Amino acid sequence: MRAEEEDYLTGLPARRGFVRCFGQLPADSRVTIFYIDLDNFKQVNDSHGHMFGDAVLAEAAFRLKELFRTSDIVARFGGDEFLVFLQYNSDGKFLYEKASKIIETFGNVYSGDLQDFSLTCSIGISLCPEDGEDFQNLFQRCDRALYYAKLRGKNRYAVYDGR
């Protein structure tokens, strides 16, 4: 991976690296994108400082990497946002279980240090080829799903449903 494609804080691929990897997929791939946003992350930086916020982001990245296979791509998309892209052959139940596991895992990140609130995340999910076959369409749709998850109260996932 080129230096400009790697996130310096987490060591994960950055936006450019993620998009390039996505573009190298075989045309008939069945994949999904998880768009993960840490809820209320500004509170972490405001109450504990940016250095602690960076440590939380690095720990979140580490834990995400542990939840996925080496063939999956976990990337830091920017700020407190992560993208995960994985190929799958099963029904959606596998994906929903994975999303629930992410939410559960993030609830335990620095839980002792964040006494006034817990770290939560919201996740938007889109599927290929159902929701689109190129990165731009899939991203727009998982972004809509993420917005819906946040609108419903955060700390949950939503799958794009055509709206």
Side-chain angles (χ1 to χ4, degrees), residues 82-119:
F82 297 89
L83 285 178
V84 178
F85 130 96
L86 61 137
Q87 293 182 303
Y88 70 101
N89 295 322
S90 62
D91 62 18
K93 184 178 178 187
F94 164 77
L95 301 176
Y96 310 146
E97 289 170 355
K98 189 63 80 169
S100 295
K101 186 69 176 168
I102 294 167
I103 291 168
E104 177 187 326
T105 298
F106 275 35
N108 295 321
V109 172
Y110 286 109
S111 57
D113 295 316
L114 300 172
Q115 296 162 357
D116 43 347
F117 59 94
S118 62
L119 187 65

mmCIF file of all heavy atoms in Angstrom, residues 82-119:
data_model
loop_
_atom_site.group_PDB
_atom_site.id
_atom_site.type_symbol
_atom_site.label_atom_id
_atom_site.label_comp_id
_atom_site.label_asym_id
_atom_site.label_seq_id
_atom_site.Cartn_x
_atom_site.Cartn_y
_atom_site.Cartn_z
ATOM 1 N N PHE A 82 -15.224 4.573 10.071
ATOM 2 C CA PHE A 82 -14.528 3.414 9.530
ATOM 3 C C PHE A 82 -15.412 2.750 8.475
ATOM 4 O O PHE A 82 -16.641 2.818 8.560
ATOM 5 C CB PHE A 82 -14.236 2.394 10.638
ATOM 6 C CG PHE A 82 -13.321 2.913 11.705
ATOM 7 C CD1 PHE A 82 -13.835 3.574 12.816
ATOM 8 C CD2 PHE A 82 -11.947 2.738 11.608
ATOM 9 C CE1 PHE A 82 -12.989 4.056 13.812
ATOM 10 C CE2 PHE A 82 -11.100 3.214 12.593
ATOM 11 C CZ PHE A 82 -11.617 3.868 13.696
ATOM 12 N N LEU A 83 -14.770 2.140 7.513
ATOM 13 C CA LEU A 83 -15.468 1.333 6.517
ATOM 14 C C LEU A 83 -14.921 -0.079 6.584
ATOM 15 O O LEU A 83 -13.718 -0.266 6.762
ATOM 16 C CB LEU A 83 -15.241 1.867 5.103
ATOM 17 C CG LEU A 83 -15.986 3.118 4.688
ATOM 18 C CD1 LEU A 83 -15.591 3.510 3.260
ATOM 19 C CD2 LEU A 83 -17.483 2.937 4.774
ATOM 20 N N VAL A 84 -15.797 -1.038 6.445
ATOM 21 C CA VAL A 84 -15.381 -2.431 6.364
ATOM 22 C C VAL A 84 -16.044 -3.001 5.127
ATOM 23 O O VAL A 84 -17.232 -2.754 4.876
ATOM 24 C CB VAL A 84 -15.807 -3.251 7.598
ATOM 25 C CG1 VAL A 84 -15.391 -4.704 7.437
ATOM 26 C CG2 VAL A 84 -15.226 -2.648 8.863
ATOM 27 N N PHE A 85 -15.276 -3.714 4.371
ATOM 28 C CA PHE A 85 -15.849 -4.342 3.216
ATOM 29 C C PHE A 85 -15.464 -5.798 3.240
ATOM 30 O O PHE A 85 -14.349 -6.158 3.588
ATOM 31 C CB PHE A 85 -15.379 -3.567 1.994
ATOM 32 C CG PHE A 85 -14.812 -4.320 0.888
ATOM 33 C CD1 PHE A 85 -15.596 -4.687 -0.183
ATOM 34 C CD2 PHE A 85 -13.479 -4.660 0.862
ATOM 35 C CE1 PHE A 85 -15.053 -5.374 -1.233
ATOM 36 C CE2 PHE A 85 -12.936 -5.337 -0.179
ATOM 37 C CZ PHE A 85 -13.735 -5.698 -1.237
ATOM 38 N N LEU A 86 -16.464 -6.656 3.017
ATOM 39 C CA LEU A 86 -16.205 -8.081 3.067
ATOM 40 C C LEU A 86 -17.039 -8.807 2.027
ATOM 41 O O LEU A 86 -18.136 -8.383 1.680
ATOM 42 C CB LEU A 86 -16.473 -8.656 4.462
ATOM 43 C CG LEU A 86 -17.870 -8.555 5.026
ATOM 44 C CD1 LEU A 86 -18.241 -9.870 5.680
ATOM 45 C CD2 LEU A 86 -17.917 -7.445 6.052
ATOM 46 N N GLN A 87 -16.494 -9.894 1.563
ATOM 47 C CA GLN A 87 -17.219 -10.781 0.673
ATOM 48 C C GLN A 87 -17.949 -11.799 1.530
ATOM 49 O O GLN A 87 -17.459 -12.199 2.579
ATOM 50 C CB GLN A 87 -16.260 -11.481 -0.272
ATOM 51 C CG GLN A 87 -15.606 -10.522 -1.249
ATOM 52 C CD GLN A 87 -14.682 -11.231 -2.213
ATOM 53 O OE1 GLN A 87 -13.760 -11.904 -1.784
ATOM 54 N NE2 GLN A 87 -14.942 -11.073 -3.499
ATOM 55 N N TYR A 88 -19.134 -12.205 1.069
ATOM 56 C CA TYR A 88 -19.894 -13.199 1.821
ATOM 57 C C TYR A 88 -20.730 -14.026 0.857
ATOM 58 O O TYR A 88 -21.053 -13.591 -0.241
ATOM 59 C CB TYR A 88 -20.773 -12.542 2.879
ATOM 60 C CG TYR A 88 -21.942 -11.769 2.323
ATOM 61 C CD1 TYR A 88 -23.218 -12.324 2.330
ATOM 62 C CD2 TYR A 88 -21.789 -10.506 1.774
ATOM 63 C CE1 TYR A 88 -24.292 -11.639 1.822
ATOM 64 C CE2 TYR A 88 -22.847 -9.817 1.256
ATOM 65 C CZ TYR A 88 -24.096 -10.385 1.271
ATOM 66 O OH TYR A 88 -25.163 -9.710 0.754
ATOM 67 N N ASN A 89 -21.054 -15.214 1.267
ATOM 68 C CA ASN A 89 -21.858 -16.119 0.455
ATOM 69 C C ASN A 89 -23.117 -16.573 1.166
ATOM 70 O O ASN A 89 -23.912 -17.305 0.617
ATOM 71 C CB ASN A 89 -21.040 -17.361 0.063
ATOM 72 C CG ASN A 89 -19.891 -16.991 -0.836
ATOM 73 O OD1 ASN A 89 -20.036 -16.130 -1.691
ATOM 74 N ND2 ASN A 89 -18.756 -17.628 -0.642
ATOM 75 N N SER A 90 -23.273 -16.170 2.408
ATOM 76 C CA SER A 90 -24.410 -16.637 3.199
ATOM 77 C C SER A 90 -25.547 -15.616 3.133
ATOM 78 O O SER A 90 -25.440 -14.590 2.480
ATOM 79 C CB SER A 90 -23.980 -16.851 4.640
ATOM 80 O OG SER A 90 -23.555 -15.625 5.204
ATOM 81 N N ASP A 91 -26.585 -15.891 3.869
ATOM 82 C CA ASP A 91 -27.683 -14.944 3.935
ATOM 83 C C ASP A 91 -27.292 -13.755 4.817
ATOM 84 O O ASP A 91 -26.209 -13.714 5.382
ATOM 85 C CB ASP A 91 -28.950 -15.626 4.463
ATOM 86 C CG ASP A 91 -28.781 -16.170 5.880
ATOM 87 O OD1 ASP A 91 -27.848 -15.756 6.582
ATOM 88 O OD2 ASP A 91 -29.600 -17.008 6.283
ATOM 89 N N GLY A 92 -28.193 -12.816 4.955
ATOM 90 C CA GLY A 92 -27.902 -11.608 5.716
ATOM 91 C C GLY A 92 -27.688 -11.816 7.196
ATOM 92 O O GLY A 92 -27.128 -10.962 7.871
ATOM 93 N N LYS A 93 -28.114 -12.961 7.725
ATOM 94 C CA LYS A 93 -27.986 -13.200 9.160
ATOM 95 C C LYS A 93 -26.531 -13.061 9.622
ATOM 96 O O LYS A 93 -26.255 -12.478 10.667
ATOM 97 C CB LYS A 93 -28.524 -14.585 9.510
ATOM 98 C CG LYS A 93 -28.518 -14.877 10.979
ATOM 99 C CD LYS A 93 -29.107 -16.246 11.286
ATOM 100 C CE LYS A 93 -29.030 -16.515 12.775
ATOM 101 N NZ LYS A 93 -29.437 -17.862 13.103
ATOM 102 N N PHE A 94 -25.595 -13.567 8.851
ATOM 103 C CA PHE A 94 -24.172 -13.445 9.168
ATOM 104 C C PHE A 94 -23.777 -11.973 9.311
ATOM 105 O O PHE A 94 -23.071 -11.593 10.236
ATOM 106 C CB PHE A 94 -23.336 -14.127 8.082
ATOM 107 C CG PHE A 94 -21.886 -13.751 8.092
ATOM 108 C CD1 PHE A 94 -21.020 -14.298 9.024
ATOM 109 C CD2 PHE A 94 -21.371 -12.844 7.173
ATOM 110 C CE1 PHE A 94 -19.676 -13.959 9.045
ATOM 111 C CE2 PHE A 94 -20.035 -12.498 7.181
ATOM 112 C CZ PHE A 94 -19.192 -13.052 8.123
ATOM 113 N N LEU A 95 -24.256 -11.148 8.412
ATOM 114 C CA LEU A 95 -23.917 -9.722 8.429
ATOM 115 C C LEU A 95 -24.523 -9.033 9.644
ATOM 116 O O LEU A 95 -23.881 -8.195 10.277
ATOM 117 C CB LEU A 95 -24.380 -9.057 7.142
ATOM 118 C CG LEU A 95 -23.801 -9.635 5.860
ATOM 119 C CD1 LEU A 95 -24.418 -8.966 4.650
ATOM 120 C CD2 LEU A 95 -22.284 -9.517 5.837
ATOM 121 N N TYR A 96 -25.752 -9.388 9.976
ATOM 122 C CA TYR A 96 -26.409 -8.760 11.121
ATOM 123 C C TYR A 96 -25.731 -9.164 12.425
ATOM 124 O O TYR A 96 -25.580 -8.345 13.338
ATOM 125 C CB TYR A 96 -27.895 -9.114 11.155
ATOM 126 C CG TYR A 96 -28.594 -8.892 9.832
ATOM 127 C CD1 TYR A 96 -29.619 -9.714 9.427
ATOM 128 C CD2 TYR A 96 -28.207 -7.867 8.956
ATOM 129 C CE1 TYR A 96 -30.264 -9.525 8.205
ATOM 130 C CE2 TYR A 96 -28.827 -7.686 7.737
ATOM 131 C CZ TYR A 96 -29.852 -8.509 7.365
ATOM 132 O OH TYR A 96 -30.469 -8.328 6.159
ATOM 133 N N GLU A 97 -25.309 -10.412 12.500
ATOM 134 C CA GLU A 97 -24.574 -10.861 13.686
ATOM 135 C C GLU A 97 -23.245 -10.120 13.802
ATOM 136 O O GLU A 97 -22.831 -9.735 14.898
ATOM 137 C CB GLU A 97 -24.343 -12.370 13.624
ATOM 138 C CG GLU A 97 -25.601 -13.173 13.840
ATOM 139 C CD GLU A 97 -25.435 -14.661 13.542
ATOM 140 O OE1 GLU A 97 -24.353 -15.082 13.068
ATOM 141 O OE2 GLU A 97 -26.400 -15.403 13.781
ATOM 142 N N LYS A 98 -22.579 -9.911 12.670
ATOM 143 C CA LYS A 98 -21.300 -9.187 12.672
ATOM 144 C C LYS A 98 -21.523 -7.732 13.112
ATOM 145 O O LYS A 98 -20.754 -7.205 13.930
ATOM 146 C CB LYS A 98 -20.681 -9.242 11.276
ATOM 147 C CG LYS A 98 -19.269 -8.726 11.207
ATOM 148 C CD LYS A 98 -18.288 -9.518 12.014
ATOM 149 C CE LYS A 98 -17.856 -10.776 11.322
ATOM 150 N NZ LYS A 98 -16.714 -11.411 12.002
ATOM 151 N N ALA A 99 -22.558 -7.091 12.616
ATOM 152 C CA ALA A 99 -22.855 -5.711 13.012
ATOM 153 C C ALA A 99 -23.153 -5.628 14.511
ATOM 154 O O ALA A 99 -22.667 -4.722 15.200
ATOM 155 C CB ALA A 99 -24.020 -5.164 12.199
ATOM 156 N N SER A 100 -23.926 -6.572 15.019
ATOM 157 C CA SER A 100 -24.222 -6.593 16.462
ATOM 158 C C SER A 100 -22.957 -6.780 17.276
ATOM 159 O O SER A 100 -22.796 -6.165 18.340
ATOM 160 C CB SER A 100 -25.220 -7.714 16.777
ATOM 161 O OG SER A 100 -26.455 -7.461 16.179
ATOM 162 N N LYS A 101 -22.048 -7.613 16.797
ATOM 163 C CA LYS A 101 -20.781 -7.852 17.501
ATOM 164 C C LYS A 101 -19.932 -6.582 17.532
ATOM 165 O O LYS A 101 -19.279 -6.286 18.541
ATOM 166 C CB LYS A 101 -20.024 -9.010 16.834
ATOM 167 C CG LYS A 101 -18.792 -9.419 17.570
ATOM 168 C CD LYS A 101 -19.153 -10.071 18.891
ATOM 169 C CE LYS A 101 -17.900 -10.571 19.573
ATOM 170 N NZ LYS A 101 -18.148 -10.943 20.954
ATOM 171 N N ILE A 102 -19.925 -5.818 16.451
ATOM 172 C CA ILE A 102 -19.182 -4.548 16.420
ATOM 173 C C ILE A 102 -19.732 -3.609 17.490
ATOM 174 O O ILE A 102 -18.979 -3.009 18.269
ATOM 175 C CB ILE A 102 -19.278 -3.879 15.032
ATOM 176 C CG1 ILE A 102 -18.557 -4.717 13.975
ATOM 177 C CG2 ILE A 102 -18.699 -2.461 15.069
ATOM 178 C CD1 ILE A 102 -18.863 -4.288 12.544
ATOM 179 N N ILE A 103 -21.043 -3.465 17.535
ATOM 180 C CA ILE A 103 -21.674 -2.572 18.512
ATOM 181 C C ILE A 103 -21.332 -3.012 19.930
ATOM 182 O O ILE A 103 -20.978 -2.189 20.786
ATOM 183 C CB ILE A 103 -23.196 -2.511 18.265
ATOM 184 C CG1 ILE A 103 -23.467 -1.769 16.955
ATOM 185 C CG2 ILE A 103 -23.924 -1.864 19.433
ATOM 186 C CD1 ILE A 103 -24.880 -1.886 16.441
ATOM 187 N N GLU A 104 -21.407 -4.299 20.183
ATOM 188 C CA GLU A 104 -21.064 -4.830 21.501
ATOM 189 C C GLU A 104 -19.599 -4.560 21.843
ATOM 190 O O GLU A 104 -19.277 -4.130 22.958
ATOM 191 C CB GLU A 104 -21.328 -6.340 21.517
ATOM 192 C CG GLU A 104 -20.937 -7.026 22.805
ATOM 193 C CD GLU A 104 -21.062 -8.540 22.680
ATOM 194 O OE1 GLU A 104 -21.963 -9.015 21.971
ATOM 195 O OE2 GLU A 104 -20.239 -9.244 23.290
ATOM 196 N N THR A 105 -18.717 -4.784 20.903
ATOM 197 C CA THR A 105 -17.277 -4.592 21.126
ATOM 198 C C THR A 105 -16.951 -3.138 21.412
ATOM 199 O O THR A 105 -16.168 -2.839 22.309
ATOM 200 C CB THR A 105 -16.487 -5.090 19.902
ATOM 201 O OG1 THR A 105 -16.722 -6.489 19.749
ATOM 202 C CG2 THR A 105 -14.997 -4.836 20.050
ATOM 203 N N PHE A 106 -17.539 -2.222 20.654
ATOM 204 C CA PHE A 106 -17.243 -0.806 20.868
ATOM 205 C C PHE A 106 -17.731 -0.324 22.226
ATOM 206 O O PHE A 106 -17.156 0.587 22.795
ATOM 207 C CB PHE A 106 -17.842 0.040 19.750
ATOM 208 C CG PHE A 106 -16.957 0.145 18.543
ATOM 209 C CD1 PHE A 106 -16.164 -0.918 18.141
ATOM 210 C CD2 PHE A 106 -16.913 1.299 17.806
ATOM 211 C CE1 PHE A 106 -15.347 -0.831 17.035
ATOM 212 C CE2 PHE A 106 -16.098 1.401 16.692
ATOM 213 C CZ PHE A 106 -15.317 0.334 16.306
ATOM 214 N N GLY A 107 -18.784 -0.932 22.739
ATOM 215 C CA GLY A 107 -19.281 -0.563 24.061
ATOM 216 C C GLY A 107 -18.288 -0.864 25.166
ATOM 217 O O GLY A 107 -18.394 -0.323 26.263
ATOM 218 N N ASN A 108 -17.293 -1.706 24.876
ATOM 219 C CA ASN A 108 -16.283 -2.069 25.875
ATOM 220 C C ASN A 108 -14.959 -1.333 25.695
ATOM 221 O O ASN A 108 -14.038 -1.553 26.471
ATOM 222 C CB ASN A 108 -16.030 -3.579 25.819
ATOM 223 C CG ASN A 108 -17.255 -4.361 26.212
ATOM 224 O OD1 ASN A 108 -17.976 -3.975 27.119
ATOM 225 N ND2 ASN A 108 -17.509 -5.452 25.512
ATOM 226 N N VAL A 109 -14.837 -0.487 24.680
ATOM 227 C CA VAL A 109 -13.593 0.248 24.451
ATOM 228 C C VAL A 109 -13.449 1.328 25.516
ATOM 229 O O VAL A 109 -14.297 2.207 25.644
ATOM 230 C CB VAL A 109 -13.575 0.884 23.041
ATOM 231 C CG1 VAL A 109 -12.373 1.798 22.864
ATOM 232 C CG2 VAL A 109 -13.565 -0.201 21.972
ATOM 233 N N TYR A 110 -12.415 1.236 26.296
ATOM 234 C CA TYR A 110 -12.106 2.213 27.353
ATOM 235 C C TYR A 110 -13.304 2.484 28.257
ATOM 236 O O TYR A 110 -13.493 3.598 28.724
ATOM 237 C CB TYR A 110 -11.595 3.526 26.746
ATOM 238 C CG TYR A 110 -10.193 3.436 26.216
ATOM 239 C CD1 TYR A 110 -9.955 3.451 24.851
ATOM 240 C CD2 TYR A 110 -9.114 3.317 27.063
ATOM 241 C CE1 TYR A 110 -8.663 3.354 24.351
ATOM 242 C CE2 TYR A 110 -7.826 3.217 26.581
ATOM 243 C CZ TYR A 110 -7.610 3.235 25.223
ATOM 244 O OH TYR A 110 -6.343 3.142 24.741
ATOM 245 N N SER A 111 -14.118 1.487 28.518
ATOM 246 C CA SER A 111 -15.327 1.713 29.306
ATOM 247 C C SER A 111 -15.020 2.249 30.699
ATOM 248 O O SER A 111 -15.777 3.048 31.232
ATOM 249 C CB SER A 111 -16.161 0.432 29.385
ATOM 250 O OG SER A 111 -15.390 -0.621 29.919
ATOM 251 N N GLY A 112 -13.902 1.854 31.297
ATOM 252 C CA GLY A 112 -13.550 2.356 32.623
ATOM 253 C C GLY A 112 -13.118 3.806 32.616
ATOM 254 O O GLY A 112 -13.346 4.539 33.581
ATOM 255 N N ASP A 113 -12.533 4.257 31.505
ATOM 256 C CA ASP A 113 -12.053 5.638 31.414
ATOM 257 C C ASP A 113 -13.140 6.615 30.979
ATOM 258 O O ASP A 113 -12.997 7.814 31.139
ATOM 259 C CB ASP A 113 -10.883 5.722 30.430
ATOM 260 C CG ASP A 113 -9.671 4.945 30.919
ATOM 261 O OD1 ASP A 113 -9.344 5.066 32.114
ATOM 262 O OD2 ASP A 113 -9.075 4.214 30.120
ATOM 263 N N LEU A 114 -14.197 6.105 30.393
ATOM 264 C CA LEU A 114 -15.280 6.956 29.905
ATOM 265 C C LEU A 114 -16.472 6.835 30.842
ATOM 266 O O LEU A 114 -17.561 6.432 30.456
ATOM 267 C CB LEU A 114 -15.669 6.537 28.477
ATOM 268 C CG LEU A 114 -14.569 6.627 27.428
ATOM 269 C CD1 LEU A 114 -15.007 5.999 26.116
ATOM 270 C CD2 LEU A 114 -14.148 8.072 27.214
ATOM 271 N N GLN A 115 -16.261 7.224 32.088
ATOM 272 C CA GLN A 115 -17.263 7.001 33.116
ATOM 273 C C GLN A 115 -18.545 7.793 32.895
ATOM 274 O O GLN A 115 -19.624 7.344 33.260
ATOM 275 C CB GLN A 115 -16.678 7.342 34.487
ATOM 276 C CG GLN A 115 -15.543 6.411 34.844
ATOM 277 C CD GLN A 115 -14.684 6.966 35.954
ATOM 278 O OE1 GLN A 115 -14.888 8.069 36.424
ATOM 279 N NE2 GLN A 115 -13.704 6.191 36.362
ATOM 280 N N ASP A 116 -18.444 8.969 32.282
ATOM 281 C CA ASP A 116 -19.630 9.795 32.116
ATOM 282 C C ASP A 116 -20.479 9.375 30.906
ATOM 283 O O ASP A 116 -21.614 9.803 30.778
ATOM 284 C CB ASP A 116 -19.257 11.278 32.027
ATOM 285 C CG ASP A 116 -18.036 11.532 31.148
ATOM 286 O OD1 ASP A 116 -17.326 10.568 30.805
ATOM 287 O OD2 ASP A 116 -17.786 12.696 30.804
ATOM 288 N N PHE A 117 -19.959 8.553 30.040
ATOM 289 C CA PHE A 117 -20.724 8.018 28.919
ATOM 290 C C PHE A 117 -19.953 6.833 28.350
ATOM 291 O O PHE A 117 -18.794 6.630 28.653
ATOM 292 C CB PHE A 117 -20.953 9.070 27.829
ATOM 293 C CG PHE A 117 -19.689 9.643 27.251
ATOM 294 C CD1 PHE A 117 -19.124 9.104 26.102
ATOM 295 C CD2 PHE A 117 -19.056 10.723 27.847
ATOM 296 C CE1 PHE A 117 -17.963 9.620 25.575
ATOM 297 C CE2 PHE A 117 -17.886 11.259 27.320
ATOM 298 C CZ PHE A 117 -17.342 10.699 26.180
ATOM 299 N N SER A 118 -20.629 6.032 27.546
ATOM 300 C CA SER A 118 -19.935 4.903 26.938
ATOM 301 C C SER A 118 -19.759 5.172 25.453
ATOM 302 O O SER A 118 -20.525 5.925 24.846
ATOM 303 C CB SER A 118 -20.715 3.606 27.155
ATOM 304 O OG SER A 118 -21.971 3.690 26.536
ATOM 305 N N LEU A 119 -18.751 4.561 24.898
ATOM 306 C CA LEU A 119 -18.494 4.699 23.477
ATOM 307 C C LEU A 119 -19.451 3.784 22.730
ATOM 308 O O LEU A 119 -19.532 2.588 23.021
ATOM 309 C CB LEU A 119 -17.045 4.310 23.164
ATOM 310 C CG LEU A 119 -16.595 4.554 21.734
ATOM 311 C CD1 LEU A 119 -16.598 6.048 21.424
ATOM 312 C CD2 LEU A 119 -15.219 3.972 21.517
#
